[in-house]
Amino acid sequence: GAVVSQHPSRVICKSGTSVKIECRSLDFQATTMFWYRQFPKQSLMLMATSNEGSKATYEQGVEKDKFLINHASLTLSTLTVTSAHPEDSSFYICSARRDSLGNTIYFGEGSWLTVV
Amino acid sequence: GNSVTQMEGPVTLSEEAFLTINCTYTATGYPSLFWYVQYPGEGLQLLLKATKADDKGSNKGFEATYRKETTSFHLEKGSVQVSDSAVYFCALSDLSNTDKLIFGTGTRLQVFP
C-alpha cells in the first residue's frame, strides 16, 4: 500500500544548529504534504502545508523563517529547523495527500527531535 | 476555534477486555470525525471515520458513533488483543479546509496477555 517515509526517526542536535527532516512518498505523487508537531501531552498541531513548486502555507504562530519547508519534487518535502533551541524539541510528523485515487492522506512515522 | 479532547493514557487492559477511549470535540458546523492509530515504528493510519451525525464508523472490530448531541466520537472495541497496543488519535476535519486535520493528544493503549 501507499507509504510515506520520514527520516531521521530520531535526531539529537546542539543548540544553534540546523536540522533537516525529510518526508518522502514512496510509491505515489503528492503535490501537497503537511507538517505537524506535537509537544508532550499536547495535540498534534498542523504547522504548515507544503505545496510542490510553491511556497509553503504556514499556520498562525509558526515562524516561517525558523521552519523552512522545501517541496522541490512530487515525492519529497523537507522541514529544516534553523538555529534550533531546546524548546524546539518535539515530535514532528508529516503527511502526504495522494494525487490520485481519492486524494487519500498518508502519514509518515514521525521524527523525534531533541535539541541539547 | 475547533478542538478535540481525548482521554489521557496510558490505558492498560488485559487481552479480551472491553475498550473505550473517549473523544469529544468542539466545532462550528458538522465536521467529519476520524480515529487514527499509530503502531510502534509506523505512521498514523486511518482506522475509521464518520462524516455526519449518527454515522457509525467501524474497522477491525473498532467502532465509533458520531454523536452530535454530546459532541462525542468515542472509540470502542468489545475484545482487545495484544496487537491492538498502539497510540490512538481522535481528529476532526476543519470545514473551511478539509485537508486540515485537528487532532487530540493521542491515547496510548497497552494490552497485556
Side-chain angles (χ1 to χ4, degrees):
Chain A
V3 176
V4 172
S5 176
Q6 261 183 261
H7 178 80
S9 57
R10 291 184 181 274
V11 59
I12 300 172
C13 70
K14 292 184 177 180
S15 286
T17 62
S18 296
V19 60
K20 181 186 289 186
I21 302 171
E22 294 185 345
C23 179
R24 291 181 186 273
S25 56
L26 297 185
D27 56 357
F28 64 94
Q29 293 184 333
T31 302
T32 305
M33 294 186 178
F34 307 89
W35 286 97
Y36 291 82
R37 176 174 58 186
Q38 184 178 29
F39 292 111
K41 297 189 182 294
Q42 296 186 27
S43 304
L44 266 173
M45 297 293 291
L46 180 66
M47 298 174 65
T49 301
S50 170
N51 304 295
E52 188 269 335
S54 64
K55 292 183 179 180
T57 304
Y58 290 81
E59 295 298 305
Q60 192 172 12
V62 178
E63 300 174 61
K64 64 178 187 225
D65 294 330
K66 181 169 182 61
F67 298 98
L68 300 179
I69 291 173
N70 184 279
H71 194 156
S73 80
L74 288 171
T75 59
L76 174 64
S77 175
T78 60
L79 169 69
T80 301
V81 183
T82 62
S83 187
H85 288 101
E87 56 264 32
D88 298 324
S89 299
S90 184
F91 179 67
Y92 294 86
I93 193 165
C94 71
S95 65
R97 187 178 67 194
R98 188 173 187 146
D99 284 347
S100 60
L101 295 178
N103 300 123
T104 304
I105 292 177
Y106 298 93
F107 281 82
E109 316 94 318
S111 300
W112 288 97
L113 170 64
T114 302
V115 184
V116 297
Chain B
N2 296 343
S3 66
V4 173
T5 302
Q6 62 181 109
M7 61 191 292
E8 278 194 43
V11 173
T12 304
L13 295 173
S14 297
E15 207 164 24
E16 299 183 3
F18 184 85
L19 168 72
T20 300
I21 300 178
N22 289 338
C23 172
T24 57
Y25 67 90
T26 302
T28 53
Y30 303 104
S32 294
L33 301 174
F34 307 84
W35 276 101
Y36 280 82
V37 58
Q38 184 174 27
Y39 299 104
E42 300 183 18
L44 271 70
Q45 303 171 26
L46 179 62
L47 179 61
L48 53 84
K49 69 177 183 181
T51 57
K52 62 182 187 297
D54 299 325
D55 265 4
K56 177 185 284 188
S58 61
N59 186 23
K60 299 182 181 180
F62 290 89
E63 292 183 340
T65 302
Y66 191 143
R67 301 282 189 203
K68 186 185 69 169
E69 62 276 13
T70 54
T71 61
S72 65
F73 193 56
H74 304 321
L75 182 68
E76 296 183 335
K77 186 173 185 181
S79 176
V80 293
Q81 305 300 312
V82 173
S83 57
D84 294 325
S85 298
V87 181
Y88 293 82
F89 290 89
C90 185
L92 62 82
S93 62
D94 191 303
L95 289 178
S96 62
N97 178 358
T98 55
D99 283 337
K100 182 176 177 179
L101 291 170
I102 296 169
F103 285 90
T105 54
T107 302
R108 181 175 298 279
L109 170 65
Q110 297 173 323
V111 181
F112 293 97

